[in-house]
Amino acid sequence: MTNEDGIGRPAMLRERLGSVGGHMTRRRAAVYRFLRGAWPHPTAEEIYLGVKEELPRISLATVYKNLEALVNCGLAVKVPAGDGAARYDLRTDHHYHSRCLQCGTMIDLEPAAEEILRNMVKAPSGFEVSHYRVEVLGCCEECGKR
Ligand SMILES: [Zn+2]
Ligand SMILES: [Zn+2]
Protein backbone atom coordinates (compact mmCIF):
# COMPACT_ATOMS: atom_id res chain seq x y z
CA MET A 1 0.00 0.00 0.00
CA THR A 2 1.23 3.47 -0.80
CA ASN A 3 0.28 6.80 0.63
CA GLU A 4 -1.65 7.71 -2.53
CA ASP A 5 -4.98 7.02 -0.90
CA GLY A 6 -6.27 10.54 -0.91
CA ILE A 7 -5.13 11.43 2.59
CA GLY A 8 -1.90 12.53 1.01
CA ARG A 9 -3.50 15.35 -0.95
CA PRO A 10 -2.82 18.77 0.55
CA ALA A 11 -6.50 19.80 0.60
CA MET A 12 -7.34 16.68 2.56
CA LEU A 13 -4.47 17.30 4.94
CA ARG A 14 -5.70 20.82 5.58
CA GLU A 15 -9.17 19.46 6.23
CA ARG A 16 -7.98 16.77 8.65
CA LEU A 17 -5.81 19.20 10.57
CA GLY A 18 -8.65 21.71 10.64
CA SER A 19 -11.03 19.17 12.11
CA VAL A 20 -8.78 18.66 15.15
CA GLY A 21 -8.03 22.29 15.69
CA GLY A 22 -4.66 22.18 14.04
CA HIS A 23 -3.73 24.34 11.13
CA MET A 24 -1.73 23.99 8.01
CA THR A 25 1.49 25.93 8.21
CA ARG A 26 4.37 25.97 5.77
CA ARG A 27 6.44 24.09 8.31
CA ARG A 28 3.83 21.43 8.89
CA ALA A 29 3.39 20.98 5.16
CA ALA A 30 7.16 20.61 4.73
CA VAL A 31 7.31 17.97 7.50
CA TYR A 32 4.40 16.12 5.92
CA ARG A 33 5.98 16.29 2.47
CA PHE A 34 9.21 14.83 3.81
CA LEU A 35 7.25 11.96 5.36
CA ARG A 36 5.64 11.29 2.00
CA GLY A 37 9.04 11.12 0.33
CA ALA A 38 11.08 8.12 -0.63
CA TRP A 39 12.78 7.76 2.75
CA PRO A 40 10.88 5.08 4.67
CA HIS A 41 10.20 5.71 8.37
CA PRO A 42 12.56 8.63 8.98
CA THR A 43 13.56 9.63 12.49
CA ALA A 44 12.69 13.10 13.80
CA GLU A 45 16.34 14.09 13.34
CA GLU A 46 16.34 12.90 9.73
CA ILE A 47 13.13 14.81 9.05
CA TYR A 48 14.68 17.87 10.66
CA LEU A 49 17.78 17.69 8.44
CA GLY A 50 15.61 17.15 5.34
CA VAL A 51 13.17 19.98 6.07
CA LYS A 52 16.00 22.32 7.01
CA GLU A 53 17.14 22.37 3.38
CA GLU A 54 13.84 23.98 2.49
CA LEU A 55 13.25 25.99 5.67
CA PRO A 56 16.73 26.79 7.09
CA ARG A 57 15.36 28.48 10.22
CA ILE A 58 13.25 25.58 11.44
CA SER A 59 14.32 24.01 14.76
CA LEU A 60 14.28 20.38 15.85
CA ALA A 61 11.72 21.29 18.54
CA THR A 62 9.40 22.71 15.87
CA VAL A 63 9.78 19.55 13.81
CA TYR A 64 8.84 17.48 16.88
CA LYS A 65 5.84 19.72 17.54
CA ASN A 66 4.59 19.36 13.98
CA LEU A 67 5.13 15.60 14.00
CA GLU A 68 3.13 15.44 17.21
CA ALA A 69 0.30 17.39 15.55
CA LEU A 70 0.25 15.02 12.57
CA VAL A 71 0.16 12.02 14.94
CA ASN A 72 -2.62 13.59 17.02
CA CYS A 73 -4.89 14.04 14.03
CA GLY A 74 -4.23 10.51 12.80
CA LEU A 75 -2.23 11.40 9.71
CA ALA A 76 0.94 9.70 10.93
CA VAL A 77 2.07 7.26 13.58
CA LYS A 78 5.16 7.08 15.71
CA VAL A 79 6.87 3.77 15.03
CA PRO A 80 8.32 2.07 18.09
CA ALA A 81 11.73 0.64 17.20
CA GLY A 82 14.05 -1.47 19.29
CA ASP A 83 16.84 1.09 19.02
CA GLY A 84 14.76 3.72 20.83
CA ALA A 85 14.76 6.28 17.98
CA ALA A 86 11.43 8.00 17.28
CA ARG A 87 10.50 7.12 13.70
CA TYR A 88 7.41 8.26 11.85
CA ASP A 89 5.18 6.52 9.36
CA LEU A 90 2.30 7.82 7.23
CA ARG A 91 0.94 4.31 7.03
CA THR A 92 -1.40 4.12 10.01
CA ASP A 93 -2.89 0.64 9.60
CA HIS A 94 -1.54 -2.31 11.60
CA HIS A 95 1.71 -3.62 10.16
CA TYR A 96 5.18 -4.68 11.20
CA HIS A 97 8.65 -3.57 10.19
CA SER A 98 12.03 -4.95 9.33
CA ARG A 99 15.00 -2.87 10.46
CA CYS A 100 18.54 -2.98 9.14
CA LEU A 101 21.00 -3.06 12.04
CA GLN A 102 23.64 -1.25 9.99
CA CYS A 103 21.85 1.67 8.33
CA GLY A 104 18.56 1.69 10.29
CA THR A 105 16.34 1.44 7.19
CA MET A 106 12.86 0.22 8.11
CA ILE A 107 10.62 -1.51 5.60
CA ASP A 108 6.94 -2.44 5.95
CA LEU A 109 5.95 -6.06 6.58
CA GLU A 110 2.43 -7.39 6.38
CA PRO A 111 1.20 -8.88 9.68
CA ALA A 112 0.61 -12.23 7.97
CA ALA A 113 2.36 -14.22 10.68
CA GLU A 114 0.19 -12.90 13.50
CA GLU A 115 -2.03 -15.97 13.66
CA ILE A 116 1.03 -18.23 13.86
CA LEU A 117 2.57 -16.06 16.57
CA ARG A 118 -0.63 -16.22 18.57
CA ASN A 119 -0.30 -19.99 18.71
CA MET A 120 3.45 -20.10 19.22
CA VAL A 121 3.96 -17.55 21.97
CA LYS A 122 2.54 -18.69 25.28
CA ALA A 123 1.30 -15.78 27.35
CA PRO A 124 1.34 -16.02 31.18
CA SER A 125 -1.84 -17.45 32.66
CA GLY A 126 -4.60 -14.88 32.86
CA PHE A 127 -2.78 -12.53 30.49
CA GLU A 128 -4.93 -11.40 27.61
CA VAL A 129 -2.91 -10.72 24.47
CA SER A 130 -4.26 -7.78 22.48
CA HIS A 131 -1.56 -7.56 19.84
CA TYR A 132 2.05 -8.29 19.03
CA ARG A 133 4.83 -5.93 18.19
CA VAL A 134 7.19 -7.59 15.77
CA GLU A 135 10.42 -6.19 14.44
CA VAL A 136 12.48 -8.23 12.01
CA LEU A 137 16.18 -7.38 12.39
CA GLY A 138 19.05 -7.94 10.01
CA CYS A 139 21.00 -6.47 7.14
CA CYS A 140 19.28 -4.74 4.20
CA GLU A 141 20.06 -5.42 0.54
CA GLU A 142 22.08 -2.24 0.10
CA CYS A 143 24.24 -2.88 3.18
CA GLY A 144 24.68 -6.51 2.12
CA LYS A 145 26.31 -5.34 -1.13
CA ARG A 146 28.98 -3.37 0.68
ZN1 LIG B 1 21.07 -1.30 5.64
ZN1 LIG C 1 5.55 1.24 8.21
Side-chain angles (χ1 to χ4, degrees), residues 84-103:
R87 287 191 176 75
Y88 294 84
D89 197 351
L90 285 184
R91 189 174 157 184
T92 55
D93 64 317
H94 179 56
H95 66 285
Y96 299 136
H97 296 102
S98 65
R99 177 164 57 88
C100 175
L101 291 169
Q102 297 187 43
C103 69

Side-chain angles (χ1 to χ4, degrees), residues 100-105 107 138-146:
C100 175
L101 291 169
Q102 297 187 43
C103 69
T105 298
I107 294 170
C139 180
C140 77
E141 196 180 2
E142 283 306 307
C143 289
K145 284 187 209 150
R146 273 179 221 151

Side-chain angles (χ1 to χ4, degrees), residues 23-141:
H23 49 271
M24 190 64 180
T25 62
R26 240 185 110 208
R27 289 169 173 179
R28 194 156 300 169
V31 166
Y32 186 75
R33 258 202 314 281
F34 190 86
L35 276 170
R36 286 191 70 196
W39 200 325
H41 315 92
T43 64
E45 283 79 8
E46 287 164 348
I47 296 164
Y48 166 62
L49 292 174
V51 171
K52 220 174 150 156
E53 287 177 16
E54 188 185 336
L55 303 168
R57 279 160 53 198
I58 199 164
S59 69
L60 180 59
T62 301
V63 168
Y64 266 113
K65 226 166 53 199
N66 283 299
L67 284 166
E68 206 68 3
L70 290 171
V71 169
N72 285 342
C73 67
L75 284 164
V77 287
K78 202 167 172 175
V79 181
D83 62 0
R87 287 191 176 75
Y88 294 84
D89 197 351
L90 285 184
R91 189 174 157 184
T92 55
D93 64 317
H94 179 56
H95 66 285
Y96 299 136
H97 296 102
S98 65
R99 177 164 57 88
C100 175
L101 291 169
Q102 297 187 43
C103 69
T105 298
M106 269 188 141
I107 294 170
D108 288 342
L109 295 178
E110 299 310 316
E114 184 144 321
E115 222 25 67
I116 300 163
L117 281 171
R118 248 176 230 281
N119 296 322
M120 276 173 67
V121 181
K122 190 114 184 65
S125 133
F127 186 93
E128 183 137 356
V129 177
S130 59
H131 61 285
Y132 291 86
R133 189 177 287 168
V134 177
E135 195 176 16
V136 177
L137 303 173
C139 180
C140 77
E141 196 180 2

